Amino acid sequence: PASEMARVTPVVRYTATNETHAMVPLEAEYMYITARGTTDTYSAHDLCQAPANKTEAGKFYPPGLLHTVQVNKLKPSTEYKYQVGISVDGSVPVWSDLATFKSAPEDGNTGEFEYIVYGDQGCPDSGCEDGWKWLDGMMKRETRATSIHHFGDISYANGAAHIWEQWFEMIQPFSANLPLMIAIGNHEYDHLSGGIGKDPSGVGTDDGFHPSWGDFMNDSGGECGVPMAKRFRMPSTSKSNGVFWYSYNHGVVHTVVVSSEHDLSIGSPQYDFLAHDLENVDRSVTPWVILESHRPLYEGEDGDHWESNTHVGEAMREEIEDLLYMYEVDVVLAGHYHEYHRTCFGLYRGVCNSNGPVHITIGM
């Protein structure tokens, strides 16, 4: 409720570790920086269609208060420790456990780094508790990872709101310590009605994006991107659109994230963003350019089950493949297909070694 949100303010306090990596005590208040943020939420009425906007069991469940805090004044490539708390009527009665993260390097920093990429996660069939164990094991193995990139089909809640809570608990082994960069997938956005005035991506139609060649149904269970837009914050750049399309630099890599669930044709807002973004990349600073999308432009699956998806990939190639070729994009990362698939190098118009990107599909 609005009265409750008015009383609380999310707070983060953070400080850099010293050169010997000994942690500076947070009790020494003069040693840390405090940042305050904002609070939001959403209701069943904010969602586009059933089952997401139905309040019966197994469908909508109130998400509670969703907090956002932006931390500033970070030094590049620096380890920080932090705690989060809620200021109630001006005081913070309880702080969270201590956690750590490492800030991004300066743009153009040539130091090596690693990050983990995949799509199509959700909770495993055996339950989110097993997923927690698997992710905990992954983080113990992947000790050099600097971030996680999850390009779409995030929790597979599909209108069952409690799944979002279970999934966020499942990813705790890494989400408290590593940046999570996300893209929108069909199971977060695709819907058939109710979008006007509710679709957070700003599409002015009731059913989102439904081209004649597409297979976009109600895969989100009526969520239409609302939980994604409320629960995540991604970088803001020229012509970007929240969690739907955006870009950022990390060292020598420029990453641009697009939505395969939205119009990418010439003249669309997303195409204009992509063209503007690629045109303005400084390859002397970020020589590597990587595109991330939920659906791939190329895939290797056969069979009638995937025929409609094949048409989507073909249409995406018609829309943006020339643009990727023109600006010499190096790699396209995607999911949607629950498999690993890698094309030949330099793929353009179906021909290898033609100075196009290599396309890699990593669906779980």
Side-chain angles (χ1 to χ4, degrees):
S3 58
E4 185 177 353
M5 286 196 293
R7 294 184 59 221
V8 302
T9 302
V11 182
V12 174
R13 60 182 187 180
Y14 57 103
T15 185
T17 61
N18 64 22
E19 294 180 358
T20 60
H21 299 285
M23 301 302 260
V24 177
L26 278 179
E27 289 73 16
E29 295 192 5
Y30 64 91
M31 296 297 293
Y32 64 80
I33 303 170
T34 299
R36 298 178 180 273
T38 58
T39 298
D40 203 351
T41 191
Y42 59 91
S43 67
H45 178 74
D46 296 316
L47 304 171
C48 289
Q49 67 178 106
N53 61 4
K54 300 298 181 182
T55 56
E56 56 206 69
K59 298 177 182 177
F60 179 76
Y61 183 85
L65 301 181
L66 305 174
H67 307 295
T68 301
V69 179
Q70 180 170 313
V71 295
N72 299 305
K73 301 179 181 179
L74 298 179
K75 299 176 182 179
S77 302
T78 300
E79 185 182 58
Y80 286 85
K81 64 176 181 177
Y82 74 96
Q83 290 177 296
V84 299
I86 300 297
S87 174
V88 181
D89 296 331
S91 64
V92 181
V94 179
W95 289 98
S96 72
D97 292 338
L98 199 66
T100 62
F101 69 91
K102 188 174 183 179
S103 59
E106 289 183 302
D107 292 356
N109 184 301
T110 57
E112 292 185 359
F113 64 92
E114 299 176 7
Y115 57 98
I116 299 170
V117 297
Y118 56 79
D120 312 279
Q121 187 181 46
C123 291
D125 292 339
S126 57
C128 291
E129 184 176 347
D130 277 348
W132 189 98
K133 295 176 183 176
W134 298 347
L135 290 173
D136 185 54
M138 178 186 76
M139 294 313 301
K140 289 176 180 175
R141 294 191 307 272
E142 304 295 337
T143 57
R144 296 183 60 188
T146 59
S147 61
I148 308 285
H149 296 203
H150 186 176
F151 23 82
D153 286 6
I154 305 293
S155 72
Y156 286 88
N158 300 341
H162 67 281
I163 299 296
W164 277 110
E165 310 306 325
Q166 294 176 354
W167 180 81
F168 271 105
E169 184 175 355
M170 184 187 79
I171 67 169
Q172 183 70 15
F174 70 77
S175 62
N177 305 103
L178 294 179
L180 174 61
M181 313 306 293
I182 53 90
I184 199 87
N186 53 302
H187 283 285
E188 287 79 52
Y189 179 74
D190 292 6
H191 58 285
L192 297 173
S193 64
I196 294 178
K198 297 181 178 181
D199 182 340
S201 69
V203 173
T205 61
D206 213 35
D207 58 353
F209 181 52
H210 281 276
S212 60
W213 43 261
D215 65 344
F216 307 130
M217 304 301 289
N218 186 25
D219 295 349
S220 76
E223 291 183 356
C224 62
V226 172
M228 284 281 281
K230 292 287 189 178
R231 292 173 179 269
F232 292 97
R233 292 293 183 271
M234 293 296 113
S236 178
T237 55
S238 179
K239 299 180 182 289
S240 64
N241 187 6
V243 298
F244 299 97
W245 48 88
Y246 61 93
S247 67
Y248 59 97
N249 294 338
H250 188 102
V252 293
V253 177
H254 178 78
T255 298
V256 55
V257 178
V258 297
S259 169
S260 58
E261 312 311 302
H262 288 75
D263 191 359
L264 274 162
S265 63
I266 294 176
S268 68
Q270 187 172 199
Y271 183 93
D272 290 346
F273 156 77
L274 181 59
H276 175 80
D277 186 83
L278 294 177
E279 181 182 7
N280 286 280
V281 174
D282 185 346
R283 298 303 278 261
S284 69
V285 177
T286 53
W288 288 90
V289 177
I290 297 177
L291 179 87
E292 295 180 355
S293 164
H294 176 60
R295 300 182 194 239
L297 280 70
Y298 289 91
E299 50 79 26
E301 284 279 6
D302 294 320
D304 294 340
H305 175 70
W306 293 108
E307 183 177 359
S308 60
N309 289 274
T310 300
H311 296 325
V312 173
E314 291 170 347
M316 290 177 67
R317 295 201 295 270
E318 286 298 314
E319 291 173 336
I320 65 171
E321 190 172 23
D322 287 346
L323 201 59
L324 306 185
Y325 175 81
M326 179 189 308
Y327 291 109
E328 300 180 343
V329 171
D330 297 289
V331 181
V332 176
L333 298 174
H336 194 59
Y337 297 85
H338 299 190
E339 63 176 14
Y340 177 82
H341 175 71
R342 181 173 182 155
T343 69
C344 57
F345 287 100
L347 185 61
Y348 175 63
R349 295 290 178 182
V351 180
C352 298
N353 301 313
S354 299
N355 298 317
V358 58
H359 295 255
I360 304 175
T361 299
I362 317 104
M364 297 180 71

